[in-house]
Amino acid sequence: MVAFGKKLKERQIQEWQGYYINYKLMKKKVKHYGQQIQDGTLDRRHVLKDFSRMLDNQIETIVLFLLEQQGLLASRIAKLGERHDAIQEQPDISQISELREAYRQVARDLLKLLIFVDVNATGLRKILKKFDKRFGYRFTNYYVKTRANHPYSQLQQVFKHVGIGAVVGAISRNLHELQDRQGSYLSIYDQAALPLQDPVIDSVRAAVDRLTHSTNFLSFLGQHALIVQEDELPTPVEERVDDQRYHFMSLLLNLVNTFLYMVNTYIIVPTADDYSLSLGAAATVCGVVIGAMAVAQVFSSVYFSAWSNKSYFKPLVFSSIVLFAGNTLYAMAYDLHSIWVLLIGRLLCGFGSARAVNRRYISDCVPLKIRMQASAAFVSASALGMACGPALAGLLQTDFKIYKLTFNQNTLPGWVMAIAWLLYLIWLCISFKEPSREDEVIQQESSRGTTENDALENGLKQPLLISSDDKKEDEDGDQDIDESEEAPEETRRPATSFLSAYRLLTPSVKVQLLIYFMLKYAMEILLSESSVITTYYFSWNTSKVAIFLFCLGLTVLPVNILVGSYISNMFEDRQILLASEIVVCIGIVMSFHMFNPYSVVQYVSSGLIMFVSAEVLEGVNLSLLSRVMSSRLSRGTYNGGLLSTEAGTLARVVADATITLAGYLGESKLLNVTLLPSLFICVISIMATCFTYNTLY
């Protein structure tokens, strides 16, 4: 194996030696950082700042030299242009031949400049990968994202290479005019489809094409860093496959499925306690009724995630049928006077949860250029469904019978959702287009490797910052391994079970999953027991409970917009994370019934503080989670999305069980008893965040 540092020296142009990236120095610096952190003499934040500054200085040296060389090339072309004009007036074959050779020499020097960019970009990629490997998190994502989108970014100046394109154009045009055109007066602009037949220009064009293709990832990574989980970046073939697999109506059907499921989840919350009482059970059994759906979802998420490896259409059809049946049973439980039929209906609704399929469809079948919008639409559909569910329940305040079927505020949510899922099923069968699995095979084949060419003959050896050389060993014995190509198969294979997925979690990821569990637990306690609490303390009817929950749901989108557009630009994510946890804790403490009387103002204000801060916390937490999650958890059945979904679903199950068990102590003690576990878990999560604070960025 050839050390990259040694190969870097071999490929350097001697007179440009002082302008290359100092890979050896930076590699030693990374090792030095590791020793200092291990000794406790330096914290990670200082390392990030110092290493970022060093990279900025190295890139600035490269950029300024690149601009200087481009200026020299432009000056030479301008002087050759004066000679070209003189020859046009007095043509001389020997002078024309000499001038053409002079232009070719400029092209060869330009090719050297492109190789200069290649060597430096490869060194940059390798040192970033080495840094990530040494310290265990994705500094590369942070560095490229912050530098690629900044208007004064030196990194951006390198990879946009506008000046290089202008030089290539000038050389091509002049060589074209100096060729024997047999009396033709057409220029290269008139015959764009006819390439200039000159080997050196072909080499330069090949180099520029590869440079353009391979560095487009910067803008992609900067804009979609939180969406694309895998380390592999798209090739043009993959992007064409994405476009072929994309079908707008199918995406819309997935979003509608998301919306209807969230409506289905929350439409029963305002009336669950009354329904339980009408069937002879205690009001607090509403916790079991609401939580039954979450219990089933724990299992359905796994088989739907596995099923989506083979199909998207069949899982959605199955989901719709099961949800239609579940809601029908939920509605019929009233006339059958059976709490068990009610619970079975809710369990069936949970077994029909296809959110794993919805997420997977967006990840696999939506082109990268609109995947961010599709993901935002997914979040919006969920938030809208969460708000519309209770609001719809508040509108269904009627009571009548058709034959032996009762239609009232308890049963109408079931009947309405059953009809909605039946109509959705018909629409699904008519309009959904199953993506071709052949496209996936093409995409996998196209991503397995690129053809290697000699650097001096064909411009660049490999795409910059994406592919790598064969396994290389550095001078100190460390290996620079590109995970996408040279890592052992077992280190790239996706997790095959929950246990193997759990082993891939770092301490910081475990803390963030704990935070996710905590916020989902607190939110479920607030929402699920709201009808019982407000009826006991304030004598609210169903309409008032529905309005309260509807108002809470309406805060989701505005809060996320505020955080995403403003707050995240003013503070670090880890600062927002810790502050949000503290505010959630304050909201929980404010909710306790410590003084008489317990007022509406206290309940509503504390609930609003807790809910809004939990929404902020969820967005920031998932953002951080996506950055530090192992790349092996970005694909397969047991992926990072499934783990976070299971953590949230398990939290809802535990919260609903807590409400039911606390109900045996009496409704007067329900509020404080259910808030105690929320407070305990919240305090634990805050302590865990403080311990891992320096590992977050």
Side-chain angles (χ1 to χ4, degrees):
M1 293 185 290
V2 182
F4 174 73
K6 187 179 295 183
K7 188 161 187 178
L8 179 62
K9 290 181 179 179
E10 292 174 357
R11 295 186 67 186
Q12 285 182 357
I13 300 170
Q14 288 302 316
E15 59 267 28
W16 294 355
Q17 194 167 5
Y19 302 101
Y20 284 88
I21 186 171
N22 197 333
Y23 180 78
K24 185 176 181 180
L25 172 66
M26 299 186 76
K27 186 178 67 175
K28 289 181 178 179
K29 195 72 174 176
V30 170
K31 292 186 68 176
H32 186 57
Y33 287 146
Q35 293 172 355
Q36 286 184 306
I37 289 177
Q38 191 173 4
D39 296 339
T41 58
L42 202 65
D43 62 44
R44 289 176 181 262
R45 297 301 299 177
H46 184 273
V47 168
L48 290 178
K49 182 178 179 180
D50 191 54
F51 193 66
S52 296
R53 184 172 60 249
M54 182 182 295
L55 280 174
D56 291 340
N57 291 336
Q58 293 276 322
I59 292 171
E60 185 176 271
T61 300
I62 297 168
V63 168
L64 294 178
F65 179 74
L66 180 62
L67 293 175
E68 179 186 350
Q69 291 302 310
Q70 288 177 3
L72 292 175
L73 291 174
S75 178
R76 288 169 61 186
I77 291 173
K79 291 179 180 178
L80 291 175
E82 294 175 0
R83 291 175 57 187
H84 191 180
D85 291 339
I87 290 175
Q88 293 283 39
E89 297 177 2
Q90 295 181 346
D92 184 287
I93 298 216
S94 62
Q95 290 184 1
I96 290 176
S97 178
E98 182 182 339
L99 187 59
R100 288 175 62 186
E101 186 58 33
Y103 275 115
R104 288 195 183 101
Q105 186 57 48
V106 174
R108 293 187 190 98
D109 291 341
L110 175 60
L111 191 55
K112 290 180 182 179
L113 194 60
L114 291 172
I115 296 172
F116 171 81
V117 176
D118 173 32
V119 172
N120 283 291
T122 303
L124 175 63
R125 177 186 63 80
K126 285 186 168 291
I127 200 63
L128 286 170
K129 263 195 160 322
K130 182 173 287 291
F131 190 91
D132 287 351
K133 182 181 177 182
R134 173 79 66 174
F135 298 105
Y137 52 84
R138 299 180 181 180
F139 172 75
T140 303
N141 281 9
Y142 156 77
Y143 186 80
V144 174
K145 179 186 174 184
T146 53
R147 268 59 176 179
N149 290 329
H150 197 280
Y152 304 130
S153 170
Q154 301 284 12
L155 193 62
Q156 192 180 58
Q157 296 302 318
V158 173
F159 294 120
K160 281 198 172 182
H161 50 266
V162 177
I164 291 177
V167 173
V168 174
I171 297 171
S172 300
R173 184 183 65 81
N174 283 281
L175 280 176
H176 184 277
E177 291 180 358
L178 290 170
Q179 280 185 342
D180 182 10
R181 305 305 300 166
Q182 296 181 349
S184 173
Y185 293 97
L186 297 177
S187 71
I188 60 172
Y189 304 111
D190 299 313
Q191 293 178 305
L194 183 63
L196 174 65
Q197 301 299 319
D198 195 297
V200 69
I201 294 299
D202 291 340
S203 295
V204 170
R205 282 177 176 170
V208 172
D209 287 343
R210 293 185 184 184
L211 182 62
T212 302
H213 160 60
S214 60
T215 55
N216 276 343
F217 90 102
L218 287 173
S219 58
F220 157 77
L221 186 57
Q223 295 171 9
H224 305 281
L226 302 182
I227 296 176
V228 177
Q229 301 287 331
E230 297 196 45
D231 289 336
E232 291 88 354
L233 298 169
T235 65
V237 174
E238 291 170 346
E239 290 180 354
R240 288 197 298 272
V241 169
D242 277 343
D243 289 335
Q244 292 170 3
R245 288 164 63 82
Y246 175 60
H247 184 239
F248 173 75
M249 190 58 69
S250 300
L251 173 61
L252 181 61
L253 282 162
N254 271 278
L255 296 176
V256 172
N257 183 280
T258 299
F259 170 77
L260 288 178
Y261 187 78
M262 293 303 291
V263 172
N264 210 148
T265 300
Y266 290 98
I267 194 173
I268 72 158
V269 172
T271 58
D273 57 336
D274 288 339
Y275 206 165
S276 300
L277 288 170
S278 67
L279 297 180
T284 52
V285 174
C286 69
V288 175
V289 175
I290 297 171
M293 198 167 176
V295 170
Q297 191 178 343
V298 171
F299 303 98
S300 67
S301 296
V302 178
Y303 66 73
F304 271 117
S305 181
W307 201 350
S308 65
N309 291 326
K310 299 180 179 180
S311 174
Y312 302 100
F313 175 68
K314 292 178 181 178
L316 291 176
V317 170
F318 176 78
S319 167
S320 304
I321 294 172
V322 171
L323 282 159
F324 169 76
N327 281 289
T328 302
L329 287 177
Y330 181 86
M332 293 180 66
Y334 187 87
D335 293 306
L336 295 174
H337 200 72
S338 171
I339 189 70
W340 292 108
V341 173
L342 184 74
L343 293 175
I344 291 171
R346 286 296 286 179
L347 281 171
L348 282 177
C349 289
F351 283 124
S353 171
R355 288 175 65 81
V357 179
N358 304 145
R359 287 194 182 97
R360 186 71 176 270
Y361 184 88
I362 292 174
S363 174
D364 292 352
C365 302
V366 176
L368 291 170
K369 58 188 175 184
I370 61 169
R371 193 172 295 169
M372 176 176 283
Q373 293 92 319
S375 298
F378 177 83
V379 174
S380 300
S382 300
L384 189 60
M386 182 180 179
C388 288
L392 186 58
L395 297 175
L396 300 177
Q397 302 299 302
T398 186
D399 192 352
F400 62 93
K401 272 196 171 187
I402 299 179
Y403 297 107
K404 295 183 179 181
L405 297 178
T406 302
F407 296 87
N408 58 25
Q409 66 173 13
N410 296 325
T411 62
L412 275 173
W415 291 120
V416 167
M417 292 311 303
I419 294 172
W421 285 113
L422 181 61
L423 294 175
Y424 174 80
L425 178 61
I426 296 171
W427 183 19
L428 181 72
C429 293
I430 294 173
S431 302
F432 191 87
K433 179 182 177 183
E434 180 76 87
S436 172
R437 293 287 161 174
E438 294 179 359
D439 294 336
E440 288 187 357
V441 175
I442 295 172
Q443 183 169 337
Q444 291 169 3
E445 292 294 330
S446 68
S447 63
R448 287 180 182 171
T450 56
T451 304
E452 296 187 1
N453 299 306
D454 185 81
L456 293 177
E457 292 181 2
N458 296 301
L460 299 177
K461 183 172 181 179
Q462 294 177 329
L464 307 186
L465 302 183
I466 299 179
S467 61
S468 66
D469 305 318
D470 294 334
K471 287 184 180 180
K472 302 177 181 71
E473 189 171 326
D474 290 333
E475 294 160 4
D476 62 353
D478 291 342
Q479 290 182 346
D480 292 312
I481 297 176
D482 190 317
E483 294 177 1
S484 65
E485 294 185 6
E486 291 115 13
E489 183 64 28
E490 61 271 15
T491 66
R492 295 187 287 115
R493 193 174 299 157
T496 55
S497 66
F498 278 117
L499 182 60
S500 62
Y502 180 80
R503 289 171 179 167
L504 294 174
L505 302 180
T506 62
S508 61
V509 174
K510 292 176 183 178
V511 169
Q512 287 169 279
L513 288 176
L514 171 64
I515 294 171
Y516 193 65
F517 179 92
M518 178 274 292
L519 68 91
K520 285 295 182 183
Y521 181 91
M523 290 172 68
E524 188 70 10
I525 289 290
L526 173 65
L527 298 175
S528 295
E529 71 178 12
S530 59
S531 58
V532 179
I533 296 299
T534 54
T535 300
Y536 177 79
Y537 286 105
F538 317 127
S539 300
W540 281 7
N541 57 25
T542 301
S543 297
K544 290 183 178 180
V545 177
I547 292 172
F548 171 66
L549 296 177
F550 175 67
C551 292
L552 286 180
L554 285 181
T555 63
V556 175
L557 285 180
V559 167
N560 284 324
I561 292 173
L562 179 65
V563 174
S565 301
Y566 300 102
I567 297 179
S568 61
N569 294 327
M570 300 167 61
F571 302 97
E572 297 177 4
D573 283 354
R574 61 177 186 163
Q575 294 174 330
I576 302 174
L577 183 81
L578 184 57
S580 299
E581 286 183 89
I582 294 172
V583 176
V584 169
C585 188
I586 292 172
I588 293 172
V589 172
M590 288 177 59
S591 298
F592 277 92
H593 180 197
M594 294 179 286
F595 306 102
N596 286 317
Y598 190 64
S599 66
V600 174
V601 174
Q602 181 183 350
Y603 178 76
V604 172
S605 59
S606 60
L608 188 62
I609 290 172
M610 179 166 49
F611 187 83
V612 170
S613 55
E615 283 296 326
V616 174
L617 180 60
E618 180 175 7
V620 177
N621 185 60
L622 291 179
S623 171
L624 285 169
L625 195 61
S626 69
R627 302 184 197 179
V628 297
M629 189 77 78
S630 169
S631 61
R632 290 176 62 188
L633 294 175
S634 63
R635 53 192 180 274
T637 301
Y638 299 92
N639 52 62
L642 178 64
L643 291 181
S644 58
T645 299
E646 292 292 88
T649 304
L650 185 61
R652 291 172 53 203
V653 171
V654 175
D656 291 324
T658 302
I659 293 172
T660 301
L661 293 175
Y664 289 105
L665 301 176
E667 293 184 9
S668 61
K669 298 180 180 179
L670 177 65
L671 180 64
N672 287 349
V673 170
T674 53
L675 286 175
L676 280 173
S678 299
L679 181 61
F680 175 75
I681 300 172
C682 188
V683 171
I684 293 296
S685 70
I686 291 173
M687 293 171 61
T689 301
C690 292
F691 284 127
T692 60
Y693 188 76
N694 287 331
T695 66
L696 303 173
Y697 65 101

